[in-house]
Amino acid sequence: MIGSKKEQLSPIVELNVGGEMYTTTLSTLKKHPGSKLAEMFTGQPKLRRDSEGRFFIDRPGTYFKYILEYLRSNQVPTQCIQDVYKEALFYDIEPLIKQLEDSPQIFGELVARKQFLARVPNYSENIELMIRIARAEAVASRCSGVIVCVVRTEEDAARCQDALNSLDTDKKSVVKFGPWKAAPSISDLLDCIQMDVEAKGYKISFQPHVAEKGFRFKSHDFFYKFLFTWW
């Protein structure tokens, strides 16, 4: 019982991680002393127990097996890399974090894609704005469309503003991305927008937006229509 006396942990530890059961040793869990996982089992236990007396960690249990395998044998997982990376960050296992960040999946996301998107002004805010506009127009509709203006250079931004003044739509509902100073193209940015909106659970597609006759510029130079499908 836990009272005034300090609880002595058994060298064999039973865990319930999000409903998945694991048995390991105390030394395995404390292999990296600076980690959050080691801290959970250092000194007085800081975790609740389930009805069977197992220590309970409220995290996805499916991926904990990869964390445990790394602690046991230094084996870096080759499956579910993105999800294991999230768990490695939560448990603050620094050596595993660094090794996963060297994997093509995490390296490509952190170093290539996210570094590019960091150079696109207000990218995350614009994604959220697109979603708000689409949801506002979804009443009694199967689909709702959002007009996006994409400009890569300052010169294009000026031309886009002239084009926007001629566009037959509510200008406040047009979401503008760019300009940016990086190698990826407009099509790369459009793919990123679709990828990040889909990651939030939405079904979305896009195509060049064709304006009415008499439009002063080719609308597909700047404007794209993103279509949200609700059912």
Side-chain angles (χ1 to χ4, degrees):
M1 294 179 62
I2 300 176
S4 57
K5 294 183 179 180
K6 185 176 181 179
E7 181 182 3
Q8 294 296 316
L9 288 179
S10 167
I12 306 300
V13 180
E14 292 189 340
L15 299 171
N16 176 346
V17 185
E20 298 281 342
M21 311 307 165
Y22 294 94
T23 302
T24 186
T25 65
L26 187 60
S27 60
T28 295
L29 295 171
K30 297 172 67 174
K31 183 174 181 179
H32 298 285
S35 70
K36 182 177 179 179
L37 184 61
E39 198 268 339
M40 289 177 180
F41 296 93
T42 300
Q44 197 76 339
K46 301 166 182 64
L47 297 170
R48 295 180 180 180
R49 295 180 184 265
D50 67 9
S51 60
E52 299 296 324
R54 293 173 290 234
F55 288 108
F56 179 71
I57 302 176
D58 193 15
R59 295 293 296 181
T62 304
Y63 310 115
F64 189 74
K65 65 182 178 181
Y66 300 108
I67 300 292
L68 206 52
E69 187 60 35
Y70 176 77
L71 295 175
R72 287 168 172 162
S73 61
N74 290 323
Q75 180 176 327
V76 179
T78 57
Q79 304 176 55
C80 309
I81 300 296
Q82 298 280 358
D83 294 303
V84 176
Y85 179 65
K86 291 177 185 176
E87 297 309 297
L89 288 173
F90 173 78
Y91 294 113
D92 196 21
I93 304 173
E94 193 64 31
L96 178 57
I97 291 171
K98 289 181 178 179
Q99 290 183 70
L100 288 173
E101 287 179 347
D102 283 337
S103 69
Q105 298 94 321
I106 304 298
F107 179 87
E109 176 68 14
L110 293 180
V111 177
R113 200 177 84 92
K114 285 196 172 179
Q115 286 298 315
F116 158 53
L117 295 177
R119 301 184 185 190
V120 181
N122 304 313
Y123 177 80
S124 297
E125 294 85 345
N126 284 340
I127 293 291
E128 295 300 327
L129 178 57
M130 285 179 63
I131 292 171
R132 288 200 300 273
I133 292 172
R135 291 175 69 94
E137 296 181 359
V139 178
S141 300
R142 183 171 186 179
C143 302
S144 52
V146 179
I147 305 299
V148 167
C149 173
V150 183
V151 291
R152 185 172 178 180
T153 67
E154 294 288 351
E155 181 182 3
D156 283 346
R159 293 177 62 213
C160 178
Q161 187 58 49
D162 289 339
L164 186 58
N165 291 334
S166 303
L167 192 63
D168 185 22
T169 187
D170 181 2
K171 297 172 182 57
K172 292 182 180 178
S173 66
V174 177
V175 183
K176 178 186 172 186
F177 287 85
W180 64 87
K181 294 181 179 180
S185 66
I186 286 177
S187 64
D188 294 324
L189 179 65
L190 292 169
D191 288 341
C192 287
I193 294 171
Q194 181 174 14
M195 184 187 308
D196 289 329
V197 173
E198 287 179 339
K200 294 178 180 292
Y202 296 92
K203 184 177 180 181
I204 189 174
S205 60
F206 68 88
Q207 61 186 22
H209 177 64
V210 180
E212 297 73 14
K213 292 182 179 179
F215 193 61
R216 297 193 331 177
F217 299 95
K218 290 187 297 182
S219 58
H220 56 75
D221 285 347
F222 306 114
F223 296 101
Y224 298 83
K225 186 171 185 177
F226 279 79
L227 194 67
F228 288 71
T229 301
W230 302 105
W231 50 273

